Amino acid sequence: SYDTSSYLSPGFEIPLSIEATYTNNEVYTSKNIITNKRRLNWNDFTITYLGKTYEQNFVHIPTSVKEVYEEVKVKCVYKRNPKKVAYLSIPISYKAPYVFKFNGEAGEKGFDGDNAYGNNGRNGKDGGDGFRGSSGSDGQDVKMFITTLQNENKTLLKVKAVSRINNKSLIFDPIGGKLLIQSNGGRGGKGGKGGSGSGGEDETDSDSAGYGGDGGDGGDGGRGGDGGEITVYIDKEAADYFEKAIEIQNKGGEGGEGGERGRKGRGGLVKTEGKTLLGAILSQAIRGRGGSKGREGYQGEWGRDGGEIRYKVLSLERKEKVFAEFAKDSKKKKKKKERNVKDKDINTQ
């Protein structure tokens, strides 16, 4: 069984539970049922749906389904006695929220500045400056292909979104469902922390002690990546649903946070002879000038927003040509990817 208050949609999963009654009338249940009855082990069962068999306690439908299913028929088999079989039908809803992410990667944090050790003469050394964070990468340029599918009395949208390195597809209901396409620039990396200055040298034969070293400046944050360019190819029937059902974001990435400033070095002490109380007080009061704290790094620049969405409504003739070209290009990318995987396997042997 399953929780009928929840729904199963492509890209989501729904947990299953089992309750079995044995010949002695004892009732056993799976762990996800809150009860004081004896427990069943899911490892003793297999479930089969959409032509595949699994050893798991949930049903999951991939987002990239190629055909429309009204329901999923689940078959559950008890391994110790394969004649013991139970069936379950779970309706599928295409009214769900989805997000396709083609965002740029965040930049790397800058290296921290070196902490200072030892002295430069009798004065402390300055801490090293933090390094600038690396820039975020740009959002991917994306081509979207949107058509309609008629399923009984419902109109569904079939979406294909591809970039140079990603390929995503989806079927969803534009009345109740929602798709967000993101191709935002990656955030810039944070600046490295400034190094700490070292302390000044203590003195016993002088009326002044060494100065503390200055803390290093924090590194500036990296620049945010630019938003990607989005091109939408859509047929006339699907165009009516676009604004309500599909949202596109291709904003520039936020600049990275500036690095923290380095700590200042402490001034050295003028040590007085003797161990009197007055001498101890004077030794704390006479101290060399402390170093200065470093400057905090500046936040990096924001990346540029992607350009206006290029939106092209296709006639039937043009649609068939564009989709044929896209299918041909997809096959080339798939073969190239398979070759790369094969070459990688050979290199690792």
Side-chain angles (χ1 to χ4, degrees), residues 178-232:
K178 198 84 174 175
L179 173 61
L180 171 61
I181 303 285
Q182 291 182 331
S183 181
N184 301 317
R187 180 172 181 168
K190 181 178 179 179
K193 181 179 179 181
S196 299
S198 63
E201 196 171 67
D202 296 336
E203 292 286 352
T204 55
D205 299 326
S206 175
D207 58 358
S208 64
Y211 297 159
D214 294 337
D217 294 338
D220 295 338
R223 183 183 182 278
D226 296 338
E229 301 295 329
I230 311 291
T231 304
V232 177

Side-chain angles (χ1 to χ4, degrees), residues 10 61 94 198 239 259 285 292 348:
I61 302 177
Y94 292 88
S198 63
S292 299
T348 55

